[in-house]
Amino acid sequence: MEKMELIAPCHFGMEAVLKREVLDLGYEISTVEDGRVCFWGDAQAICDANVFLRTAERILLKVGSFKAETFDELFEKTRVLPWENYIPKNGKFWVTKAASVKSKLFSPSDIQSIMKKAMVERLRRIYGIEWFQEDGPAYPIRVFLMKDIVTIGIDTSGVSLHKRGYRQMTVKAPITETLASALIMLTPWHKDRILVDPFCGSGTFPIEAAMMAANIAPGMNRSFTAEEWGNLIPKKAWYDTMDEANDVIDREIQVDIQGYDLNPEAVKAARQNAKDAGVDHLIHFQERAVKDLSHPKKYGFIITNPPYGERLEDKKDLPQLYREFGESFKKLDSWSAYMITSYEDAERYFGRKADKNRKIYNGMLKTYFYQFLGPKPPKRPREPRQ
């Protein structure tokens, strides 16, 4: 397959982080828009992006983009796209999701059914058949309408990329793996610095950090829809990507990453998840309240997702919880803290105004990423040249 455009959706506000990841993989960016990064690549790029990108939600193969203000336009412009270049005669194809924002066409079910009819009409004529068995590989279609511009892509990932395959056990209000990775990348944390999550829940922040430190690709332990696309991607491309992912793992890495939680079930889940991710030897999990947070070393990092109190009965506990968190952080006088929360009074009870604050949508929930910056550690003296 020749050069094509790929679409990588991400959390709103995380486009710059994903753009950097794509560039680090060696691919050329075509556009950066709200909630997605588009880039150019070949069949190998589909494999690389699915296996290596930590902050993308999925990878879509772009089929086309056009303006449509009526269902007739949508039908005709979908019908003229070269679907036969992507979907074989026995392919199973359907519009799995339609999203519409500020567009005249806004009914997802109507958009889905009209586009499917248009695709069938084109492929029926191209392949010279009346009935499609659809017993081959799956080619799920996703479509976005933004201000009447229709963008169509085939989903290469299948299950969302935040599902790495390690989080079998979870607790309430978890943060997704992709968002956790993106937030870690927004901080200056590096694998030679201490990292503590005092509200670790099922362990997502510590696990994602440990995987980064050991250079473990996020997509190593799962499958992707496009693995079955023999007409577009040779099996060798997937094997090469997995071989590379295995080769770059740092198996000798030593880090100081810790996760605490007051809930014993959460700690148990976190340990199991870390084991399934292959990083349990790199993280110390412990049952501990935030008021008991302490560490003997200096210049550490706290990255955490404290309770938001989404349920009314939990709201009353939040002032005390954030106050205890702030008091514990005060004692860690050279540390930096980063927390994502939707709790409006977080700074007030934490006892300090954030040095930086970033609005981030966690799904449909508006949250803030508060950044309390500590001093930089002194530079190590350079070794004299021999």
Side-chain angles (χ1 to χ4, degrees), residues 76-93:
E76 290 302 329
K77 291 181 179 180
T78 300
R79 188 169 60 95
V80 299
L81 293 173
W83 292 104
E84 65 279 5
N85 291 351
Y86 308 100
I87 301 170
K89 197 181 285 190
N90 69 337
K92 181 183 179 184
F93 59 97

Side-chain angles (χ1 to χ4, degrees), residues 171-201:
V171 294
K172 67 178 181 179
I175 191 166
T176 66
E177 294 85 333
T178 44
L179 182 55
S181 271
L183 293 174
I184 294 168
M185 289 182 194
L186 279 177
T187 78
W189 178 78
H190 188 261
K191 60 188 175 186
D192 61 358
R193 303 278 293 275
I194 307 147
L195 175 63
V196 174
D197 181 354
F199 302 98
C200 73

